[in-house]
């Protein structure tokens, strides 16, 4: 059995997270302890792009949300510059990264030649600015491809068929529908595209100086990959756009080596020429790795720009709800996930409207309002929501008859507004009730043995307390809320070890029996609440919420 000592003394492992609002980096040493971290926030540190929350919203195309591809390049350069005084790049033996899932980049014909001959005396920005057939990268927040989703589903025999084939029914943000929209609306862009990368493989391509493969885990977020065989599905490709396979290149497992770091980084930043670049993956899959999620009863809740709920499973049983991806650190396993678009940015919106733009005031309201919010139940969609597929809009109800025993006797009436403290509890409690309802419906552990919380908002203890109450289980957190870049650094080490051992080795052998001493250890943040009566009431409220939600979807949901 391979032991932890297999990671060489003095070696560093660098993990990035190219996410919606920022690029982050985390550096682990051979003891798997964090030795450095850095962030570049797009809005504040690259203000010339004029993004809001890292994105642009197209006023002429409802639901179209995209980011400037070149901003991610500039952010990568800047985060490396910021890391330079903190670590010795020549000690980095492997690099990997996370990308926001589903987002895509369109390299124009001839760009691989540019990538492979970058001049180290010049910036990446100046050399790559003309390498794309479109400057706009559709991202995961986009919801403008409903038409393409239905076309693709119909072409493969329906939504359930597509889900069985690729792990998910068609979703607007998935890369296949996005590619189809580009093919249909701007055929010249499609035609002049030599390679389509995901955000993850895009960043890896820059580091290796040629087109990196799409990793199988992130590839499952495209509606294009056969989830059981982990190859491109001919049926799905044909339903999406012509001649697509050659534009996608090969798939590779997450633990594979994408290549050695390109001479550009060796000369410019003094990386070692043997430094390996391990396949980048999606941010949620890498979070799963960073949270060392390996027990089927555990659930992770990520509260970042998006909110996600995920766990692991041995078999792929995709249905109409949720997503199935390959497990990035377990070649035969899968991860299951739910995704909400109205996460942190919508919580911020309520904070700004009702809580004096302060998390302290927000938390004070959470603490002073009672669990169940006096029956006030809110649905807050600042942007078109993914789960459920509802348009932007706020819906508020007051649920009555809580003193009756049967949850079926609960009645509700719609109201126009809540007082500010109830609005604050309404959004957070509503989000958690929805997560619990959908997680149970999707077959995730109920109740979970424990929840591990991550993402920006997981630093908020009042929110963690509410999670524990609604789910009725203890909540753990890890040392830093950015498990996606931590997971990427860990996967860099794992990929390095797999290469060293000449094949896949379980990731746990890097921290076996020593997890508590590493930066990966999860710590109890909120113990399981002992109040069984409250949990029962939440169970009734979940049922009521799911019923109201179903009616909203029937009335105004996206078809
Ligand atoms: P990304 O998905 O871009 O990686 P992060 O995980 O970095 O996002 O989360 C960023 C978000 O974290 C911010 O938009 C902010 O709303 C949220 N956040 C940061 N601190 C707190 C806090 N104390 N309470 C609630 N939310 C917070
Ligand atoms: C997952 C999803 C989001 C992005 C956020 O399906 O769309 O969580 O990965 O970066």
């Amino acid at each position: 059995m391979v032991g932890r000592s297999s990671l060489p003394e003095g070696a560093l492992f660098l993990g990035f997270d190219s996410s919606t609002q920022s690029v982050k980096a985390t550096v682990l040493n051979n003891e798997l302890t964090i030795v450095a971290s850095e962030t570049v926030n797009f809005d504040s540190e690259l203000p010339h792009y004029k993004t809001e929350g890292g994105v642009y919203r197209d006023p002429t195309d409802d639901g179209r949300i995209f980011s400037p591809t070149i901003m991610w390049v500039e952010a990568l350069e800047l985060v490396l510059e910021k890391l330079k005084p903190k670590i010795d790049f020549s000690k980095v033996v492997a690099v990997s990264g996370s990308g926001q899932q589903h987002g895509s980049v369109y390299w124009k014909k001839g760009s691989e030649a540019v990538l492979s001959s970058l001049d180290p005396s010049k910036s990446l920005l100046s050399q790559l600015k003309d390498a794309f057939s479109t400057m706009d990268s559709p991202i995961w927040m986009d919801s403008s491809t409903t038409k393409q989703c239905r076309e693709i589903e119909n072409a493969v025999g329906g939504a359930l068929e597509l889900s069985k084939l690729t792990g998910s029914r068609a979703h607007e943000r998935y890369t296949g529908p996005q590619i189809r929209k580009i093919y249909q609306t701007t055929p010249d862009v499609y035609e002049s595209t030599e390679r389509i990368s995901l955000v993850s493989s895009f960043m890896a391509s820059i580091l290796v100086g040629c087109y990196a493969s799409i990793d199988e885990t992130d590839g499952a977020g495209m509606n294009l990959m056969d989830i059981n065989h982990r190859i491109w599905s001919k049926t799905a490709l044909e339903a999406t756009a012509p001649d697509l396979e050659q534009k996608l290149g090969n798939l590779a497992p997450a633990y594979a080596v994408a290549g050695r770091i390109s001479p550009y980084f060796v000369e410019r930043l003094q990386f070692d020429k043997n430094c390996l670049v391990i396949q980048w993956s999606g941010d949620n899959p890498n979070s799963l790795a960073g949270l060392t999620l390996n027990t089927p009863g555990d659930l992770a809740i990520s509260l970042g720009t998006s909110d996600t709920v995920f766990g692991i499973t041995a078999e792929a049983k995709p249905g109409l709800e949720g997503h199935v991806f390959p497990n990035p650190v377990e070649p035969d396993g899968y991860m299951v996930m739910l995704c909400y678009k109205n996460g942190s940015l919508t919580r911020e919106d309520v904070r700004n409207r009702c809580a004096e733009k302060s998390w302290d005031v927000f938390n004070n309201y959470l603490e002073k309002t009672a669990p169940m919010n006096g029956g006030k139940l809110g649905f807050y969609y600042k942007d078109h929501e993914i789960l459920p597929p509802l348009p932007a809009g706020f819906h508020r109800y007051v649920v009555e008859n809580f003193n009756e025993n049967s949850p079926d006797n609960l009645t509700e009436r719609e109201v126009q507004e809540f007082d500010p403290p109830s609005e604050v509890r309404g959004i957070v409690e509503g989000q958690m009730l929805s997560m619990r309802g959908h997680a149970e419906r999707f077959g995730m552990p109920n109740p979970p043995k424990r929840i591990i919380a991550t993402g920006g908002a997981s630093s908020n203890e009042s929110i963690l307390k509410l999670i524990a109450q609604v789910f009725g289980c203890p909540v753990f957190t890890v040392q830093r809320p950015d498990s996606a870049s931590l997971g990427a650094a860990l996967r860099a080490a794992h990929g390095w070890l797999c290469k060293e051992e000449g094949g896949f080795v379980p990731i746990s052998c890097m921290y076996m029996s020593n997890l508590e001493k590493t930066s990966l250890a999860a710590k109890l943040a909120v113990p399981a609440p002992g109040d069984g009566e409250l949990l029962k009431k939440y169970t009734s409220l979940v049922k009521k919420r799911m019923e109201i939600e179903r009616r909203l979807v029937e009335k105004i949901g996206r078809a």
Side-chain angles (χ1 to χ4, degrees), residues 20 100-102 140 173 283-284 306 308 337 339:
T20 319
Q100 50 169 304
Q101 293 192 260
H102 322 293
W140 68 275
R173 70 191 190 288
D283 49 3
N284 291 295
S306 64
T308 59
M337 195 182 84
C339 179

Side-chain angles (χ1 to χ4, degrees), residues 109-182:
K109 285 181 181 156
S111 291
E112 188 160 38
V114 178
L115 256 184
S116 63
S117 56
L118 293 171
D119 176 350
S121 69
K122 296 185 182 143
S123 70
L124 288 173
L125 180 72
S126 64
Q127 297 178 82
L128 291 177
K129 65 180 179 11
D130 299 320
F132 312 109
S133 48
T134 165
M135 297 308 282
D136 304 338
S137 277
I139 67 149
W140 68 275
M141 297 175 84
D142 186 284
S143 56
S144 68
T145 63
T146 311
K147 167 180 169 284
Q148 288 78 15
C149 286
R150 296 298 88 81
E151 288 169 355
I152 293 170
E153 287 178 348
N154 290 340
V156 307
L160 191 58
E161 279 312 307
L162 184 67
S163 184
K164 284 184 186 157
L165 187 62
T166 67
S168 300
R169 68 172 303 171
H171 289 275
E172 283 103 345
R173 70 191 190 288
Y174 269 47
T175 326
Q178 292 294 339
I179 292 172
R180 183 165 176 81
K181 183 179 172 198
I182 287 180

Side-chain angles (χ1 to χ4, degrees), residues 474-502:
V475 176
F476 287 71
T477 51
V478 284
Q479 194 175 319
R480 286 172 43 85
D482 182 28
S483 53
S485 71
L486 174 65
L490 180 68
R491 283 217 317 95
H494 183 228
W496 180 89
L497 195 57
C498 292
K499 166 94 173 23
E500 201 64 12
E501 297 292 321

Side-chain angles (χ1 to χ4, degrees), residues 190 226 284 301 322 336 499 541:
Y190 186 74
D226 178 330
N284 291 295
I301 293 186
V336 280
K499 166 94 173 23
L541 201 56

